[in-house]
Amino acid sequence: MQPTKTHQSLEGFASIEPGDGGLERVAINSPLAQAHIHLHGAHVTHFQPRGQKPVLFLSRKSLFQTGKAIRGGVPLVFPWFGPNSSDPNLPAHGLARTTKWNLESISRDGDRAVVELSLESSDSTRNLWPHEFELHYRITVGSNLQIELTVRNASSNAWAFEEALHTYLAVADARKVAVAGLAGREYLDKVQGGRRLTEGSEPVTITGETDRVYLDTRDDIVVDDPAGARRLRVTKELSDDTVVWNPWIAKAKALADFADDEWPAMLCIESANIGKNAVNLSPGATHVMKTILSVE
Ligand code: TA6
């Protein structure tokens, strides 16, 4: 389906092109920023405000194949987070990120680009998850990146889902970053078997494999990246959990689609609703989770 165009020409502003691995992507090249959005997984793989270094990390070993997740950018996690609790053979982080989405529209809002995609339940999704849903994804590319995931229960029975915008921030050196916005919060430490701990008063630093779910956290997260001489801000709306992940040395080596030397160049700060904060949707109801990535 050809996306609708607004009154302003999209020439030179937005195009649809074959991306990595030949997967179709929307390329935005506006006065404010550049961005790439793959229809595969509705996956934002690149965002670079004018005059800035890229904001998102993308592994040079990432796969770009149907049915496979892209390593980097903003993986869209739905309807479960991590391994599926009832069937470990199901794909990690759900079905949305390895499914091709429909491109609904590309439009201009001044110098900002707005790209809208959708995904509905189908026979193939029902094989993985037996519920009727409609997803709508709105990506606004400007001097910041705004991502809005709307989930609608399209069935006659209530169901619960988990979600995350699994953002891979590009940092100059993860060993030197300081992450503010999580002081005093409780978290589940997956490196320690899911132990529940409480964060101290200081910003979080990365000194080893880090894989934590910070519970009931709604504040902005600010990643100070001194080696990159910038701060990256993650603003969240209707996201109750924040996941912080860096694989460090051993886990990086264990990931086939992640180069061994890439782990200092990334830090995942994920806007999420998982576990006890999974979202319950009654028939016909919707839930909108939003995240905004900005450079300071
Ligand atoms: O969000 C952190 C996490 O759940 C880690 O445990 C690690 O598995 C990471 O996601 C990457 O998962 P993926 O399925 O994309 O390799």
Side-chain angles (χ1 to χ4, degrees):
M1 160 192 177
Q2 276 307 314
T4 55
K5 294 188 176 181
T6 58
H7 58 285
Q8 290 169 295
S9 163
L10 292 175
E11 297 311 314
F13 184 87
S15 59
I16 302 170
E17 61 186 28
D20 303 275
L23 295 179
E24 211 174 3
R25 74 184 180 195
V26 174
I28 302 297
N29 187 20
S30 83
L32 298 176
Q34 293 183 331
H36 292 155
I37 299 134
H38 282 79
L39 304 194
H40 175 67
H43 203 127
V44 182
T45 55
H46 175 61
F47 169 59
Q48 184 170 8
R50 289 284 170 213
Q52 289 287 347
K53 301 185 288 286
V55 171
L56 298 174
F57 164 86
L58 183 65
S59 174
R60 64 176 184 269
K61 294 187 70 178
S62 177
L63 300 175
F64 288 88
Q65 293 169 16
T66 51
K68 297 286 185 190
I70 294 170
R71 176 70 64 192
V74 184
L76 196 166
V77 177
F78 172 88
W80 62 81
F81 183 88
N84 182 282
S85 53
S86 56
D87 179 355
N89 296 317
L90 292 175
H93 288 324
L95 50 87
R97 67 173 180 169
T98 51
T99 303
K100 184 173 180 179
W101 285 55
N102 306 306
L103 176 58
E104 294 296 332
S105 66
I106 307 172
S107 57
R108 286 188 72 150
D109 171 10
D111 277 341
R112 302 196 309 175
V114 182
V115 182
E116 306 203 46
L117 305 103
S118 66
L119 181 68
E120 291 185 358
S121 45
S122 62
D123 289 344
S124 59
T125 67
R126 285 180 206 106
N127 285 336
L128 299 172
W129 195 62
H131 298 299
E132 304 307 313
F133 62 83
E134 291 165 7
L135 304 182
H136 184 268
Y137 207 46
R138 178 184 292 127
I139 300 149
T140 304
V141 178
S143 51
N144 61 27
L145 180 70
Q146 302 191 23
I147 300 178
E148 223 171 20
L149 173 62
T150 300
V151 178
R152 179 175 177 273
N153 180 342
S155 77
S156 53
N157 57 291
W159 41 255
F161 69 95
E162 296 178 320
E163 60 184 346
L165 298 176
H166 195 299
T167 303
Y168 284 71
L169 295 175
V171 295
D173 190 344
R175 293 163 292 196
K176 298 193 172 76
V177 303
V179 184
L182 298 166
R185 310 308 302 175
E186 288 200 297
Y187 64 93
L188 305 177
D189 189 342
K190 290 167 67 177
V191 174
Q192 297 188 59
R195 241 179 97 197
R196 191 172 182 129
L197 299 164
T198 301
E199 191 55 64
S201 56
E202 294 303 308
V204 174
T205 55
I206 307 299
T207 58
E209 180 187 353
T210 305
D211 193 352
R212 302 175 186 172
V213 180
Y214 285 86
L215 306 168
D216 305 324
T217 49
R218 300 174 186 87
D219 295 342
D220 285 13
I221 306 297
V222 179
V223 177
D224 185 11
D225 176 20
R230 69 179 183 179
R231 286 196 303 272
L232 299 172
R233 180 178 294 267
V234 179
T235 301
K236 312 194 303 166
E237 290 178 19
L238 292 186
S239 155
D240 286 341
D241 300 306
T242 307
V243 181
V244 178
W245 180 60
N246 182 286
W248 209 253
I249 301 165
K251 276 287 169 55
K253 282 201 171 78
L255 292 168
D257 60 347
F258 192 96
D260 293 357
D261 64 349
E262 288 183 318
W263 58 269
M266 54 71 67
L267 179 66
C268 282
I269 301 290
E270 306 163 34
S271 307
N273 288 301
I274 50 188
K276 74 175 181 68
N277 289 323
V279 179
N280 291 287
L281 273 189
S282 48
T286 60
H287 180 276
V288 185
M289 180 171 72
K290 182 174 181 180
T291 197
I292 303 171
L293 308 181
S294 46
V295 183
E296 300 178 345

